[in-house]
């Protein structure tokens, strides 16, 4: 099969990632990010919520320090931006109107605690649910981006070559279905019904993003929540993961691939790549040594009620040996493993990896 991508450029990009530099020629004009705290780059700094990561030790390995990223360094989205040769994707809420008008390399609408459903995660304060994130993208397309393009055709071309990441759904379980004291969803719906509701709503959201011009999508399934230190702890698991909780999100994950295939088939010119967050993350938990990890407990010292890092308390020193940074979120090193597998590998992002997705016409 002909591979038209210049390999010297790829090695340059891969090489440069170790120095937090940018590739000289981007592989895609922009990266747009939708989702929750796994990929939030600081939107929640601007919201009235306790789901914030704008204090130490968050960002301890990030050059700018704490920025609202829910990890010690780069998120998955940061690594992906680097691989694409793009600058880090700024949080939409952190940009002035003038900055929004000039930003053409992508924006990040992701928000810690947000879910597919509007109510999910709201018990800890405000967040940008998926629908709200799409409204902001709509404003981006209709109001801010056109100033940078000669005509509609040019804008459409740009959008069709850009990469759209959607990483959401975990909070619909953690901060909705699994909190029967605050949410009645588990009384109203069986696990199977609830996963169906989420998938239907997500599908509508993806169609809306397509209708605004997006063509190249990367959509993540939900990670093994039962392996997170927070739930391992709360379920009194002494070894392994809380498999009953993993099974709950697996219902959603089982329905997602078909839905993405249907969308690729029905939406002209679209490609929906599935991001296998569950399998990749489960494998890290089962075989940590394979990836250089030795420790499955959280690196920072967490508040046992929120599972977020305690402010100003020193975290572990050997951060690259930990899969989890706090009670729920992967460390920078785990994000690097996911991003590398998704960009270049053959199993984490299917049926195309992201490098192949950028080359698709
Ligand atoms: C922030 O949210 C809290 C809790 O919901 C509320 O009591 C407070 O008034 C809010 N603050 C602002 C500035 O809206
Ligand atoms: C579920 O709870 C919401 C409030 O959180 C309420 O508006 C709704 O009526 C409840 N639904 C049912 C069927 O009880
Ligand atoms: C975990 O153990 C504690 C103390 O032994 C107990 O109170 C709690 O109910 C247990 N939780 C679960 C989910 O079994
Ligand atoms: C699909 O889009 C292409 C342009 O991208 C167009 O030429 C073609 O007619 C479209 N097909 C359908 C069925 O709409
Ligand atoms: C794992 O990390 C925690 C937190 O830093 C630490 O207390 C524990 O000793 C580590 N366990 C192993 C086996 O290294």
């Amino acid at each position: 099969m002909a591979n038209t991508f210049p390999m010297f450029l790829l090695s340059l990009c891969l090489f440069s990632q170790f120095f937090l530099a940018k590739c000289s020629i981007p592989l895609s004009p922009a990266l747009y990010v939708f989702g929750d705290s796994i990929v939030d780059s600081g939107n929640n700094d601007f919201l009235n919520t306790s789901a914030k990561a704008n204090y130490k030790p968050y960002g301890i390995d990030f050059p700018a320090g704490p920025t609202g990223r829910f990890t010690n360094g780069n998120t998955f989205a940061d690594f992906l931006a680097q691989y694409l040769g793009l600058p880090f994707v700024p949080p939409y809420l952190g940009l002035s109107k003038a900055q929004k008008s000039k930003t053409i390399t992508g924006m990040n609408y992701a928000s810690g605690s947000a879910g597919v459903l509007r109510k999910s995660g709201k018990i800890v304060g405000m967040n940008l649910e998926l629908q709200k994130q799409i409204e902001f993208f709509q404003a981006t397309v209709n109001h801010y981006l056109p100033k940078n393009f000669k005509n509609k055709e040019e804008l459409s071309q740009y959008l069709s070559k850009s990469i759209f990441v959607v990483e959401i759904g975990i909070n619909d379980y953690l901060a909705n279905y699994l909190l029967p004291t605050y949410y009645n969803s588990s009384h109203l719906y069986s696990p199977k019904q609830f996963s169906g509701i989420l998938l239907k709503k997500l599908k509508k959201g993806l169609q809306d993003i397509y209708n605004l011009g997006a063509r190249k999508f990367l959509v993540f399934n939900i990670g093994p929540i039962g392996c997170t230190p927070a739930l391992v702890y709360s379920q009194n698991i002494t070894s392994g993961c809380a498999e009953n909780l993993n099974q709950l999100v697996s219902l959603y994950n089982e329905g997602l691939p078909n839905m993405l295939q249907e969308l690729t088939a029905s939406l002209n010119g679209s490609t929906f790549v599935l991001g296998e967050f569950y399998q990749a993350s489960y494998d890290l938990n089962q075989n940590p040594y394979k990836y250089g990890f030795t420790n499955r407990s959280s690196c920072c010292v967490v508040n046992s009620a929120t599972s977020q890092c305690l402010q100003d308390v020193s975290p572990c020193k050997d951060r690259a040996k930990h899969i989890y940074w706090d009670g729920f979120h992967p460390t920078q090193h785990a994000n690097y493993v996911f991003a590398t597998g998704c960009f270049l590998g053959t199993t984490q992002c299917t049926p195309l990896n992201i490098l192949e997705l950028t080359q698709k016409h």
Side-chain angles (χ1 to χ4, degrees):
M1 204 184 84
N3 186 343
T4 53
F5 186 73
M7 287 316 284
F8 73 89
L9 229 185
L10 174 60
S11 56
L12 230 169
C13 296
L14 294 182
F15 183 69
S16 66
Q17 94 82 14
F18 292 105
F19 298 95
L20 297 168
K22 286 180 278 176
C23 293
S24 41
I25 302 170
L27 300 174
S28 189
L31 173 61
Y32 287 91
V33 181
F34 301 79
D36 55 36
S37 54
I38 305 250
V39 289
D40 187 350
S41 60
N43 281 309
N44 276 24
D45 295 358
F46 303 91
L47 297 176
N48 184 10
T49 172
S50 59
K52 285 186 197 287
N54 57 353
Y55 59 87
K56 287 178 183 173
Y58 286 101
I60 188 170
D61 297 311
F62 197 75
T67 54
R69 286 169 169 80
F70 289 77
T71 184
N72 55 310
N74 285 1
T75 65
F76 172 90
D78 294 328
F79 281 121
L80 187 57
Q82 289 182 331
Y83 276 136
L84 293 170
L86 294 168
F88 283 158
V89 186
Y92 182 84
L93 295 183
L95 297 172
S96 67
K97 280 188 176 169
Q99 288 171 322
K100 285 188 185 106
S101 299
K102 279 189 231 148
T103 304
I104 58 165
T105 49
M107 293 190 202
N108 187 328
Y109 311 96
S111 167
S113 89
V116 173
L117 303 180
R118 188 176 52 79
K119 286 180 181 164
S120 298
K122 295 269 167 35
I123 93 163
V124 295
M126 289 275 294
N127 66 40
L128 309 176
E129 70 273 13
L130 181 61
Q131 188 56 44
K132 191 78 205 168
Q133 296 182 26
I134 295 170
E135 284 168 25
F136 285 147
F137 176 57
Q138 182 172 25
T140 304
V141 171
N142 293 339
H143 188 71
Y144 296 110
L145 283 173
K147 300 178 172 73
N148 298 285
F149 296 90
K150 280 205 230 52
N151 51 44
K152 276 203 148 138
E153 180 54 30
E154 249 192 23
L155 175 57
S156 305
Q157 279 294 319
Y158 156 89
L159 289 169
S160 71
K161 291 178 182 153
S162 298
I163 304 290
F164 292 79
V165 172
V166 181
E167 182 284 312
I168 201 157
I170 192 168
N171 292 312
D172 295 293
Y173 288 95
L174 288 177
N176 182 332
Y177 199 76
L178 289 168
L179 294 180
T181 322
Y182 303 97
Y183 294 89
N184 53 19
S185 52
S186 62
H187 302 303
L188 296 173
Y189 309 111
S190 71
K192 182 83 189 142
Q193 285 171 327
F194 188 68
S195 69
I197 290 169
L198 294 183
L199 288 167
K200 193 170 164 201
K201 187 105 199 242
L202 176 69
K203 187 174 186 184
K204 167 78 169 59
L206 295 173
Q207 284 165 329
D208 290 344
I209 299 172
Y210 172 90
N211 288 334
L212 289 165
R215 294 295 178 268
K216 298 183 178 189
F217 292 82
L218 166 59
V219 184
F220 277 92
N221 66 10
I222 301 177
I225 58 175
C227 300
T228 58
L231 296 190
V232 164
Y233 173 77
S234 74
Q235 302 286 306
N236 297 336
I237 304 283
T238 50
S239 75
C241 305
E243 297 299 347
N244 56 328
L245 297 178
N246 286 343
Q247 275 165 23
L248 184 64
V249 298
S250 293
L251 293 170
Y252 172 94
N253 291 345
E254 281 158 18
L256 186 61
N258 269 345
M259 190 256 266
L260 297 181
Q261 278 165 23
E262 266 171 47
L263 286 174
T264 300
S266 65
L267 301 177
N268 189 17
S270 73
T271 306
F272 287 81
V273 169
L274 169 68
E276 253 297 351
F277 188 42
Y278 185 97
Q279 205 45 54
S281 186
Y282 196 77
D283 192 38
L284 283 195
N285 277 279
Q286 299 304 305
N287 306 297
Y289 293 94
K290 201 164 107 188
Y291 304 90
F293 295 102
T294 58
N295 199 317
R296 285 180 28 180
S297 57
S298 45
C299 169
C300 74
V301 182
V302 299
N303 171 327
S304 59
T306 64
S307 295
Q308 289 180 217
C309 301
L310 286 174
Q311 187 157 358
D312 295 329
V313 177
S314 294
C316 72
K317 290 210 164 55
D318 49 352
R319 293 186 279 282
K321 297 222 160 28
H322 284 249
I323 301 171
Y324 292 98
W325 163 246
D326 60 13
F328 289 116
H329 303 102
T331 54
Q332 160 169 276
H333 192 59
N335 285 327
Y336 172 70
V337 172
F338 295 140
T340 305
C342 185
F343 187 74
L344 290 170
T346 53
T347 55
Q348 287 188 20
C349 288
T350 58
L352 302 177
N353 65 32
I354 303 309
L355 178 58
E356 291 164 336
L357 182 63
T358 63
Q359 297 167 348
K360 191 146 195 293
H361 294 296

